[in-house]
Amino acid sequence: MKLAGPLRLNLSKSGLGLSLGVRGLHVGVSPKRGPYLRAGVPGTGVYYRKSLRPAPVMTAPPRSSQMETPWFFAVQALLGNQPQRCLSILERGPLGSGPAVHIEVGPDVVVTLLPDACGVAVLRAEALERLGRRDEAIAAAENASVRHRCNVATVVLAELRGGQGGTA
């Protein structure tokens, strides 16, 4: 809730938090994780969050029902260095639901993939790139970037065109 100007009071299950900032850039204090800096591209879901004090991050593991989905099997295959298996799972059809997957792509950068058209396209592009099929990977990322307005795919596309490695 907005208190005054850029000052906000944040109420959650874990308690009260306070943040100060403008659209796309906030400094705040959360009840669980303490002080933080958050910068992002408004309206895209792409953001960077940096703790201003080391604190353990607590996340709930996926429920067993979420881990028994084609989406999760495809993610596990890619992360287990089995890109062909990942592609086979993706090509079989509907992936159903599943958990959001947070993949660290740099020291302070985390990409979140969902089992939607964007997440599937990024997973496909990553698998193709790992198989040495760069042109197909670029086409998959480009399609997701344009057709689904997928910002993560746009980042992956720039990376693929720059000749660097995969993001997953």
Side-chain angles (χ1 to χ4, degrees):
M1 112 181 23
K2 224 175 195 180
L3 294 178
L7 187 62
R8 292 180 182 265
L9 182 65
N10 307 310
L11 179 61
S12 69
K13 288 181 185 178
S14 56
L16 287 175
L18 192 63
S19 66
L20 175 70
V22 294
R23 189 174 152 112
L25 182 64
H26 295 275
V27 174
V29 178
S30 69
K32 272 191 168 179
R33 297 203 263 180
Y36 66 89
L37 171 70
R38 183 171 187 248
V41 181
T44 66
V46 175
Y47 67 91
Y48 166 85
R49 180 180 171 127
K50 176 75 175 173
S51 175
L52 299 177
R53 160 186 93 192
V57 176
M58 304 298 282
T59 59
R63 296 184 308 272
S64 60
S65 62
Q66 292 176 312
M67 294 183 352
E68 298 293 323
T69 64
W71 162 252
F72 202 70
F73 293 145
V75 170
Q76 286 179 315
L78 184 68
L79 295 177
N81 203 27
Q82 298 175 324
Q84 188 59 56
R85 182 169 178 261
C86 175
L87 282 178
S88 296
I89 293 167
L90 294 175
E91 290 167 2
R92 274 190 226 136
L95 300 178
S97 62
V101 179
H102 308 286
I103 301 172
E104 188 172 333
V105 297
D108 291 318
V109 180
V110 175
V111 172
T112 302
L113 296 181
L114 298 169
D116 59 8
C118 176
V120 170
V122 169
L123 210 57
R124 176 174 282 115
E126 288 294 328
L128 289 165
E129 195 268 338
R130 289 181 183 202
L131 289 169
R133 295 161 55 184
R134 184 174 295 273
D135 290 342
E136 290 175 76
I138 289 171
E142 193 169 60
N143 181 46
S145 176
V146 173
R147 187 171 175 205
H148 302 293
R149 295 188 179 135
C150 176
N151 294 302
V152 175
T154 304
V155 171
V156 170
L157 180 61
E159 186 178 311
L160 287 168
R161 286 183 172 153
Q164 298 174 3
T167 61

